[in-house]
Amino acid sequence: MSDPVIASMAEVRGHLADVIDRARREEIPTIITRRGKQEAVVIDIEEYRRLRGIAEEAEEAWLNRLADEAESEGVEGAVSIEEMAAMLRDGQN
C-alpha cells in the first residue's frame, strides 16, 4: 500500500469519485481531515476486508489465550469463549 494522500473534507467532497478510484485502482488511501484534524480514511474495500479479517483473527486468538489461561488455572466460575466474547462486546468486565 502506498503512502496516503491527505485531503480536507472540502477537497474530498468535490472529488469523491477520484478519491474512491485512487483507493481502488492505485491502492492509495486518502486520510480526510476536518479543521486540521485527521478524521477518517478511504481505503479499497478489499484492503478493508483484509484488515478486518486480521483484527478478527487477533481478537479470536486473544480470547482463546484468555480461555486457555483460565482453564489451566482452574478458575471457578470460568466462562466459555462465546460467553467471554459476548461480555467483551457488551462492555462488561
Side-chain angles (χ1 to χ4, degrees), residues 65-75 78:
R65 274 195 311 277
L66 287 178
D68 290 346
E69 288 172 12
E71 187 176 322
S72 70
E73 293 174 6
V75 176

Side-chain angles (χ1 to χ4, degrees), residues 30-65:
T30 299
I31 297 173
I32 302 169
T33 62
R34 184 171 26 196
R35 297 183 191 104
K37 182 180 173 192
Q38 294 182 353
E39 295 283 338
V41 64
V42 176
I43 59 172
D44 175 64
I45 190 67
E46 291 306 319
E47 180 66 2
Y48 168 78
R49 289 177 180 143
R50 186 185 74 79
L51 294 171
R52 181 74 187 237
I54 291 169
E56 288 172 358
E57 288 173 12
E59 179 184 34
E60 186 174 331
W62 176 70
L63 291 171
N64 284 331
R65 274 195 311 277

Side-chain angles (χ1 to χ4, degrees), residues 1 4 9-10 12 14 17 19 21 30 44 49 51 59 65 68 71 78 81-82 88 92:
M1 182 179 284
M9 183 76 75
V12 170
V19 170
D21 287 343
T30 299
D44 175 64
R49 289 177 180 143
L51 294 171
E59 179 184 34
R65 274 195 311 277
D68 290 346
E71 187 176 322
I81 191 79
E82 292 82 11
L88 288 170
Q92 299 175 356

